[in-house]
Amino acid sequence: MKQLSNLTKNVDMTLESLVKILDYSSDEIFVLDGNKTIIYVNSACEKHYGLKKEDVLGKSSVELFEQGYWKPSLAPEVYEKKKPLFMKQTTNLGAELLTSAIPILNENNEVELVVTTARELQNYNLLKRNEKTGVSASKHSEQTEIDLITNCEKVKSILKFTQKIAVTNSTVLIQGESGTGKGVLARYIHQTSKRKEGPFLTINCAAIPAELLESELFGYTPGAFTGANRTGKIGLLEAADQGTLFLDEIGEMSLSLQAKLLQVIQDKKFIPVGGYEEKKVDIRIIAATNRNLAEMVQQRQFREDLYYRLNVIDIKMPPLRERKEDIIPLSYNFLHTFNRLYEMNKLISQECLDMLTYYSWPGNVRQLENLIERLVVTSDSIIDVSDLPEMIYESIQDNPALSPPSSLNEAIDRAKREIVRKSFQKHKSSRKVAKDLKISQTNAVKLIQKYCEDLRDHSF
Ligand SMILES: Nc1ncnc2c1ncn2[C@@H]1O[C@H](COP(=O)(O)OP(=O)(O)OP(=O)(O)O)[C@@H](O)[C@H]1O
Ligand SMILES: [Mg+2]
């Protein structure tokens, strides 16, 4: 390795150690060439965008910008004006950066390189956290735009799919385990739809007694029942007019209310409790549940006709253990959020992040979010493996895949598994995997069958 001793004092500095030094910088360093291609980036990019250096190098910065990794863009200005630029940027993971971009010009006065440094702004503003309980209806349209963080191809294709259905008014059913982000996805669908200027109202069907749920949804006329408000009350169906109504935990809705809801979906009309007059509404309904509705239909706990009406577009949010590539980006996102909320500046060690990716997360994203909040509050300046709760250690010890391989064959098998899964997640077809890994398609099919059973199919 070339010695760089003339650059440093009394130290044998190799290029390798210089790269290491840059990687230890807490600021992000980002270098673009004249075509806006990223030719260098240090490790800080992972905490800002959840992307590994390898995922960034050689990419076009325009492309990454268009994929929403940061905003606003500074490239056009710097390249056009050929002047240094300073700007505040926000990343996909919610990090707020103060970025400076310096163009370096060649002798023809063309931009040869742009050297960008981005420093995270701590405690820049206190983020207002969303209300978590949402027992009755809550109006989300006034809140700041939500960010749905993901690095997972499966979830990305769900998002792409929701953009396609954004122009339609079809009812959407989101199924998935508790804490997988069904509520977040519902809001995302609303925000990408043509109804985004309208209200987004949520009601949690499990949290409200059946009778109350009916009047919350349908509203009531003056004096409809004892204790009713004298002036009556408009229901959520009416309040959500021109917008989206999110029926959370729809599996808990009583059978009689299910019948009434079915009518609303079919006719787009309803009659308030105690009233006579029909009201017409223009709403989109998104429903979510962590129960198996198809099974409930068989057991006659859920109306079949309503099930088919809701099921027009059916999306399944995968559990976090099936999208491990989301664990690190989500962890950083929550770290940024809670650092800001509690006005702290905690860091997290790489070993600790690795440990988080081994755990199975039965409570999914919510469990991860709660853990990071606790760690930000309770740990020292660097969150480390020793800060993790015991249950995470214990479950990892029980996992044979995490113990050292017992033979060379096992080690090779594990490495093969990792490579095939990665390629299949990216390409999703045996033909492309074959091409990617330079193997025959027959071999690719065999390997996919062996290693990727859980990644296959799962249409949504
Ligand atoms: N992709 C994501 N990006 C950022 N935050 C997320 C993401 N998914 C989930 N969260 C956060 O995790 C928590 C749980 O998400 P959410 O409430 O949407 O899950 P859920 O599937 O509706 O759970 P439940 O079935 O228990 O209602 C929320 O605080 C949400 O902000
Ligand atoms: Mg929810």
Side-chain angles (χ1 to χ4, degrees):
M1 187 81 32
K2 194 174 157 216
Q3 296 297 302
L4 304 169
S5 46
N6 54 338
L7 297 179
T8 53
K9 218 172 178 169
N10 303 330
V11 190
D12 266 351
M13 182 76 83
T14 60
L15 201 52
E16 209 170 54
S17 49
L18 192 62
V19 167
K20 210 181 219 171
I21 292 174
L22 290 174
D23 277 339
Y24 273 95
S25 158
S26 67
D27 291 353
E28 179 189 323
I29 303 166
F30 212 91
V31 184
L32 308 178
D33 70 6
N35 297 319
K36 300 176 190 163
T37 301
I38 300 158
I39 56 167
Y40 173 79
V41 69
N42 67 347
S43 297
C45 69
E46 187 168 355
K47 71 173 178 190
H48 292 161
Y49 317 103
L51 292 173
K52 294 234 182 273
K53 282 201 278 187
E54 306 84 81
D55 301 330
V56 174
L57 285 176
K59 287 259 169 73
S60 146
S61 69
V62 177
E63 199 180 299
L64 289 181
F65 168 72
E66 281 167 359
Q67 289 169 4
Y69 283 101
W70 62 79
K71 60 185 174 201
S73 164
L74 24 78
E77 280 267 296
V78 182
Y79 281 84
E80 271 164 35
K81 297 198 175 145
K82 302 177 184 173
K83 294 241 164 72
L85 190 69
F86 299 89
M87 185 185 267
K88 201 185 115 202
Q89 289 183 310
T90 314
T91 76
N92 60 322
L93 301 186
E96 297 209 305
L97 309 174
L98 184 62
T99 310
S100 68
I102 319 277
I104 298 175
L105 308 179
N106 64 16
E107 61 272 22
N108 300 327
N109 204 34
E110 295 156 346
V111 176
E112 190 172 282
L113 295 175
V114 173
V115 179
T116 306
T117 356
R119 167 163 297 186
E120 201 172 327
L121 288 163
Q122 292 296 340
N123 316 326
Y124 193 79
N125 56 9
L126 282 176
L127 215 149
K128 264 198 221 140
R129 302 220 61 226
N130 293 346
E131 245 179 72
K132 275 189 165 178
T133 43
V135 171
S136 68
S138 63
K139 190 164 179 171
H140 286 290
S141 55
E142 292 148 8
Q143 290 173 352
T144 50
E145 250 185 51
I146 53 121
D147 283 315
L148 198 156
I149 311 289
T150 190
N151 234 350
C152 160
E153 291 303 323
K154 225 194 253 177
V155 178
K156 281 186 196 163
S157 62
I158 291 177
L159 299 186
K160 247 192 226 143
F161 175 69
T162 62
Q163 282 161 10
K164 270 195 215 143
I165 56 161
V167 286
T168 72
N169 281 327
S170 318
T171 304
V172 182
L173 177 64
I174 308 172
Q175 303 199 66
E177 288 176 21
S178 182
T180 46
K182 299 184 294 295
V184 179
L185 181 66
R187 256 183 288 159
Y188 179 90
I189 296 174
H190 172 73
Q191 279 172 7
T192 48
S193 80
K194 59 177 184 186
R195 298 175 168 269
K196 63 170 183 271
E197 303 300 334
F200 176 85
L201 303 183
T202 295
I203 189 156
N204 185 331
C205 305
I208 302 176
E211 325 76 66
L212 211 58
L213 184 59
E214 180 171 356
S215 61
E216 281 288 333
L217 275 176
F218 291 80
Y220 51 82
T221 53
F225 50 87
T226 342
N229 192 318
R230 233 186 256 156
T231 50
K233 185 179 167 185
I234 76 160
L236 291 177
L237 287 167
E238 197 175 346
D241 196 30
Q242 310 290 324
T244 306
L245 180 62
F246 177 41
L247 300 171
D248 205 359
E249 315 280 3
I250 185 100
E252 314 307 317
M253 189 180 267
S254 71
L255 284 163
S256 69
L257 200 50
Q258 286 177 26
K260 290 179 185 161
L261 179 64
L262 178 69
Q263 245 175 5
V264 181
I265 296 177
Q266 279 170 345
D267 309 338
K268 304 273 180 221
K269 283 186 214 149
F270 70 97
I271 301 174
V273 178
Y276 302 99
E277 227 176 293
E278 269 187 342
K279 297 200 171 190
K280 212 170 157 35
V281 281
D282 169 21
I283 51 173
R284 177 190 222 166
I285 290 182
I286 303 179
T289 179
N290 52 24
R291 313 235 343 225
N292 184 337
L293 279 195
E295 217 167 71
M296 288 181 76
V297 168
Q298 275 180 353
Q299 292 163 354
R300 303 195 179 279
Q301 290 166 345
F302 201 86
R303 286 185 69 110
E304 190 171 8
D305 44 10
L306 178 61
Y307 174 63
Y308 287 115
R309 273 285 169 176
L310 293 174
N311 208 11
V312 179
I313 294 169
D314 176 25
I315 298 176
K316 177 136 197 323
M317 254 337 231
L320 195 52
R321 65 181 170 281
E322 284 176 21
R323 44 178 170 126
K324 288 193 174 292
E325 59 276 43
D326 274 351
I327 294 175
I328 291 183
L330 282 167
S331 303
Y332 276 124
N333 170 256
F334 296 138
L335 188 69
H336 296 309
T337 305
F338 293 115
N339 266 336
R340 229 173 281 155
L341 182 69
Y342 296 113
E343 302 191 42
M344 299 214 185
N345 192 4
K346 301 280 168 83
L347 301 170
I348 189 162
S349 77
Q350 193 58 48
E351 292 73 29
C352 187
L353 283 169
D354 288 344
M355 199 79 152
L356 296 181
T357 62
Y358 299 146
Y359 182 58
S360 61
W361 301 104
N364 294 299
V365 185
R366 179 175 297 107
Q367 187 188 6
L368 177 63
E369 183 179 26
N370 291 341
L371 175 69
I372 302 281
E373 176 166 17
R374 202 181 101 188
L375 292 173
V376 165
V377 175
T378 58
S379 65
D380 296 334
S381 60
I382 296 179
I383 301 170
D384 208 352
V385 177
S386 58
D387 298 314
L388 294 175
E390 226 156 77
M391 81 190 171
I392 291 195
Y393 283 117
E394 281 166 8
S395 74
I396 288 170
Q397 274 162 6
D398 295 342
N399 186 343
L402 300 171
S403 57
S406 57
S407 65
L408 179 62
N409 272 345
E410 197 188 325
I412 293 171
D413 192 64
R414 281 191 202 173
K416 246 165 117 180
R417 179 185 150 86
E418 179 94 342
I419 293 165
V420 174
R421 283 176 70 86
K422 239 193 179 147
S423 177
F424 184 69
Q425 266 173 335
K426 190 165 168 201
H427 299 294
K428 295 187 206 88
S429 93
S430 57
R431 191 179 53 78
K432 289 186 185 158
V433 168
K435 197 167 163 223
D436 182 28
L437 303 180
K438 303 195 176 57
I439 52 177
S440 72
Q441 192 172 357
T442 330
N443 197 4
V445 169
K446 239 196 291 175
L447 291 171
I448 291 166
Q449 275 170 355
K450 182 167 177 195
Y451 296 123
C452 311
E453 209 35 61
D454 60 315
L455 304 175
R456 276 147 58 105
D457 162 42
H458 296 112
S459 54
F460 38 81

